[in-house]
Structures are given as C-alpha cells and as structure tokens.
Amino acid sequence: MNILVLGSGGREHTFAWKLAQSERCDSLFVAPGNAGTSKIATNISLSVTDFDAIKNCVLENEIGMVVVGPENPLVDGIVDFFKQDSELNKVAIIGPSKRGALLEGSKERAKEFMALYDIPTAAYESFKEDSIEAGKEFLETLESPYVLKADGLAAGKGVLIIDDLEEAKQELENMLSGKFGDASATVVIEEFLDGIELSVFVLTDGNSYKILPTAKDYKRIGEGDTGLNTGGMGAISPVPFVDEAFMKKIEDRIVKPTVRGLKEEEIDYKGFVFIGLIKVNDDPYVIEYNVRMGDPETEVVLPRIKSDLGVLLEKTFQQQLASVEVEIDPRAATTVMAVSGGYPESYEKGKEISGLDTMEEDVIVFHAGTTLKEGKTVTSGGRVLAVTSFGDDYEKALKKSYRNVEKISFDRMYYRKDLGFDL
Ligand code: AMP
Ligand code: GLY
C-alpha cells in the first residue's frame, strides 16, 4: 500500500525511514517533510491541519495508511474526519479520535481520567477566571515550588514551575487572563513531584497494547539541564534505571488502567500513547499524556524496533495487535540534536550544512529543520538534525553519536555535550 506520514520533523523522518523498510510499503509520501524525507519519499507541500488538502493528497496518491506525527491534527479531529468521510473511512489512519486526543489537548481532562482509573499522578485542582480566589487559596495549601499548567495546547510552553508563592499567585492571574490565549482559560495547579523523568511509549488498538522501548529526553537548552525549555536536545533508549520490577509497576499501575479507561469510555484509539513519567523514590507517577510519539524520542525508539512497522500499524488499525510480536533490538540507541544558534529564541535559517556524507557505518542522521536550496541541504528550523547511534550500552552509543555530530557543521551550530549526565 501507499503510506503518508504527516509532519516535518525528526520524528517524521524517522517514521519515514522505518516505514520505507516495510514489506507493506509500496510508495511513501511525507507531508510536508524536509530535506531528509525527500531522499526516501515524495514530499507533498501542505499544512498538517488542512484536512481538505490532506484528503486530496490521500485520494490522488491512493494512500492506504496515514501516520499522524504531531498532536495538532489529532486534537483538531483528523481521525474523526477520516472516519466520517465515505471516501476515507477505509484508510488506516494511525492516531486517536478527537475524544482520545483530549488526553493531551486538555490537562484537566487528563487529570480527571487518571483520577477515575486510579492512575498515580500529582494531586491537583483546576481553576477558571471565576474561581481565581479559590486558586490562590489552593496555592497556599501547597509547598514550594508551585506547578501551574495551562489546560490546552501551548506548544510545550504552558507549564510554569515557580518557587515564590506571591509570584505563583500573580502567574495564576496572568494565565487566567489570557497569557496563553484560550489554552489558559483553565489552569491546573498541581503538587510538585521530585524525581527523575522518563517516558514510556505504548502502541494500542483500543483493546490490546504493546509496550515499546522506554526513552529519556533532555528538554533544556543548557548543559546540566539549565536554561529555556526546547522541543528536546537529545534522547537515550532504553532508560538504564528502569529494571524489570519498575517496568512491572508501570505496566500494572499505569499502562493497563490507561488502556482499560479508553476501552470503558469506548474511545476510538488506534495509535501511540506517550506517557511522561516521574520516578519518585521507587514509584512511577504520570506527569502527562501525549497522544503521539515524542520528538526526539522517536529517533531512538523506532530504530530499536526490529519488527516491520508497517505490519504493526496495519494490525493496530485492524484491532489485531494481539496477534503480532514486537521484537526489540537489545542495544542502546542515543540521539544528539544539533540546533541553530539562538534556539529556542530567535535564530537564523538558510545555513548550508556540511559533513552529512562522512558518517560512520550504522549512524543515522534524521533531519528535523532542513530544506533543499539549489541542490544544497540548508537549515530551516531551530532543531536541525538528530544524530542517532547504537552501542552495547548508552555510554558507547553516546560516544558514537558525539564522534559523528562533530563531523557535521553549519554556521552557529550548537548541541549539548552532557547528555546522560544524570544517569
Ligand atoms: P508537561 O507539559 O505536563 O509534561 O510539563 C512539562 C515539564 O514540567 C515536565 O516535563 C516536568 O519536567 C515538569 N513538571 C510537570 N508537572 C510536574 C510536577 N507535578 N512535578 C514536577 N515537575 C513537573
Ligand atoms: N520530546 C517531548 C515531546 O515530544 O513532547
């Protein structure tokens, strides 16, 4: 069948790279894609939230499967759009329905879901403009630091962690009066959890599920986890401190009740669940749900899946996931993200990238923000390239990623040199 991947980042290049190896893939398309995807697939220029344009693309190219990379089209209801359209409802679209996507699209909904199915998470309450005083009183009952979350999608910027009580009250006011637009019309205030973060990825067909490799990403721009938040500066898989006993806790206390909740609420969910966790002492708590794969986590998770991803996703859509096995590469994988100088604040684009043809064997460069200009690969975004390597353990894999990222260059290129420092 012909397969379409929606999105343009490192995550989507990785999906395209993996699906290109599938026995189920005839022609591969990525929309809009980047310079990396253009080498292995046909790029189609469209916006991932323009459902009519996506429909035209699917019909014109006789697409049999659509893999949705980012959250916005899912939260906007792309899966429901396909289901309700007589020309599209046979297409295997991978992702949750709009109701399922609310687990990411609304922090309040996610917290209510977790409360309902006894899934461990930080204690919380949510507030609107008319309950601002109650919100301030709730803050007084908590200990510093204070965690304030915009309910809706805010491009990864909607979470504030504040040490000072008066400042937290002021930020609550700012958020409720539109700091993040409609996204912060409701604010979730929650207890601060102190621990180390990790992510677990689950593929579900709504009935059964497969747990994919764990990963840990590095979100801050600066070494030692300092400075502004980014989309992610690199990732490591598997997470070395997750042993069998801890994984069993995650599966029993979090994965199983999550899938049970989706089923009990008859939510159409055929796709990935990305569970952001924090390990406090020896127990896992959910920080957030995402209804898609992570970026750059995908750049280390998919390369460790040996099974045919096209088959896995087809079985997911057919609700036959229970009938297949997922084979995982026991080696570690790491990815180091090379970004534009200035990112995540303002940065320049259009810088020529050199060294891409000098990589060691078994190193994969996934493109994030790149484009082709007069036959040359140039930067076109903040996060530019993710350099993925394998090793017997994460330290060996990281060494290889670093050895190879050093061979790549573009004007003002930056990358973190301390990934794994906390492991
Ligand atoms: P979220 O968008 O919900 O993942 O939050 C962004 C980041 O804020 C997380 O990756 C954590 O580092 C941090 N965070 C969110 N909630 C909490 C919490 N309850 N306790 C401690 N840190 C948190
Ligand atoms: N790397 C975090 C995310 O994809 O949301």
Side-chain angles (χ1 to χ4, degrees):
M1 69 189 150
N2 296 343
I3 302 180
L4 169 67
V5 177
L6 284 181
S8 63
R11 167 180 51 209
E12 288 75 20
H13 188 191
T14 314
F15 268 111
W17 167 85
K18 183 70 182 152
L19 288 165
Q21 301 165 42
S22 171
E23 63 173 38
R24 300 292 299 118
C25 183
D26 295 323
S27 293
L28 183 61
F29 299 83
V30 184
N34 57 38
T37 62
S38 74
K39 301 246 164 75
I40 54 172
T42 305
N43 282 356
I44 308 245
S45 174
L46 54 73
S47 155
V48 296
T49 49
D50 183 345
F51 295 174
D52 290 326
I54 294 167
K55 175 175 176 177
N56 285 339
C57 168
V58 166
L59 297 180
E60 245 170 55
N61 297 297
E62 298 176 4
I63 303 289
M65 173 182 286
V66 178
V67 180
V68 185
E71 62 276 18
N72 301 67
L74 295 167
V75 172
D76 287 354
I78 192 169
V79 171
D80 311 70
F81 175 84
F82 270 62
K83 231 174 133 179
Q84 286 153 15
D85 188 302
S86 60
E87 291 177 291
L88 298 179
N89 61 16
K90 299 256 170 354
V91 176
I93 184 161
I94 301 302
S97 61
K98 193 169 182 163
R99 275 207 309 137
L102 264 187
L103 286 182
E104 177 166 359
S106 165
K107 302 263 187 210
E108 185 182 36
R109 156 67 176 152
K111 295 298 277 192
E112 285 167 358
F113 181 88
M114 288 185 260
L116 205 56
Y117 299 100
D118 284 327
I119 296 167
T121 187
Y124 83 104
E125 281 193 34
S126 56
F127 303 93
K128 288 190 167 48
E129 208 171 1
D130 61 4
S131 51
I132 194 160
E133 289 310 315
K136 290 181 183 173
E137 282 166 27
F138 182 62
L139 281 170
E140 284 171 6
T141 68
L142 299 175
E143 280 175 33
S144 167
Y146 305 93
V147 182
L148 275 62
K149 299 186 172 183
D151 176 58
L153 291 185
K157 298 192 171 66
V159 176
L160 301 179
I161 299 184
I162 302 168
D163 290 329
D164 181 69
L165 177 61
E166 291 312 313
E167 203 185 312
K169 288 180 181 174
Q170 184 57 50
E171 278 299 349
L172 175 65
E173 249 177 56
N174 298 348
M175 287 172 89
L176 289 174
S177 44
K179 177 169 181 151
F180 298 107
D182 283 350
S184 63
T186 299
V187 172
V188 170
I189 300 180
E190 64 181 47
E191 165 201 17
F192 179 81
L193 296 176
D194 196 7
I196 186 159
E197 288 180 57
L198 69 144
S199 300
V200 168
F201 301 89
V202 177
L203 179 62
T204 182
D205 61 8
N207 286 320
S208 62
Y209 64 86
K210 301 286 180 193
I211 297 183
L212 307 178
T214 57
K216 175 153 182 46
D217 81 336
Y218 289 82
K219 287 202 178 80
R220 303 293 196 95
I221 187 74
E223 286 170 12
D225 280 344
T226 54
L228 293 174
N229 257 328
T230 71
M233 296 296 292
I236 290 172
S237 175
V239 179
F241 59 79
V242 178
D243 57 16
E244 224 172 280
F246 190 64
M247 198 64 220
K248 184 162 167 31
K249 287 182 188 171
I250 295 173
E251 181 163 15
D252 290 346
R253 298 178 193 176
I254 294 167
V255 177
K256 283 183 180 162
T258 297
V259 175
R260 182 169 64 82
L262 294 173
K263 214 164 140 177
E264 278 187 19
E265 298 188 15
E266 295 179 5
I267 291 173
D268 179 12
Y269 202 125
K270 296 168 183 161
F272 297 94
V273 194
F274 162 170
I275 311 178
L277 298 173
I278 191 158
K279 177 175 180 268
V280 182
N281 300 321
D282 227 359
D283 292 314
Y285 292 82
V286 178
I287 292 275
E288 63 167 349
Y289 285 113
N290 293 307
V291 297
R292 50 167 175 92
M293 285 299 290
D295 192 353
E297 292 89 337
T298 305
E299 289 91 307
V300 290
V301 171
L302 292 191
R304 294 190 58 227
I305 297 178
K306 286 181 153 179
S307 316
D308 183 321
L309 185 65
V311 172
L312 282 179
L313 296 183
E314 195 170 43
K315 294 290 179 193
T316 298
F317 190 73
Q318 295 164 345
Q319 292 197 295
Q320 290 172 8
L321 196 53
S323 69
V324 285
E325 291 299 323
V326 182
E327 199 190 338
I328 306 296
D329 188 330
R331 290 177 302 167
T334 58
T335 201
V336 175
M337 190 66 83
V339 307
S340 300
Y343 172 80
E345 296 184 284
S346 65
Y347 55 84
E348 290 171 19
K349 300 180 186 177
K351 310 287 188 190
E352 189 178 339
I353 302 168
S354 62
L356 290 172
D357 51 3
T358 64
M359 296 297 100
E360 284 172 49
E361 208 186 327
D362 222 22
V363 171
I364 319 161
V365 178
F366 294 115
H367 290 226
T370 68
T371 190
L372 286 175
K373 194 173 151 195
E374 292 155 10
K376 293 184 172 141
T377 304
V378 303
T379 66
S380 65
R383 293 194 293 171
V384 177
L385 300 163
V387 180
T388 295
S389 309
F390 298 94
D392 292 337
D393 54 39
Y394 80 87
E395 284 147 316
K396 291 198 181 100
L398 261 178
K399 266 197 190 128
K400 194 165 181 184
S401 282
Y402 279 128
R403 219 167 42 229
N404 284 276
V405 80
E406 278 162 19
K407 299 202 267 180
I408 296 174
S409 69
F410 54 85
D411 184 37
R412 297 195 64 204
M413 174 174 124
Y414 168 79
Y415 58 92
R416 264 181 71 168
K417 298 187 176 64
D418 70 332
L419 300 188
F421 78 97
D422 51 351
L423 296 176

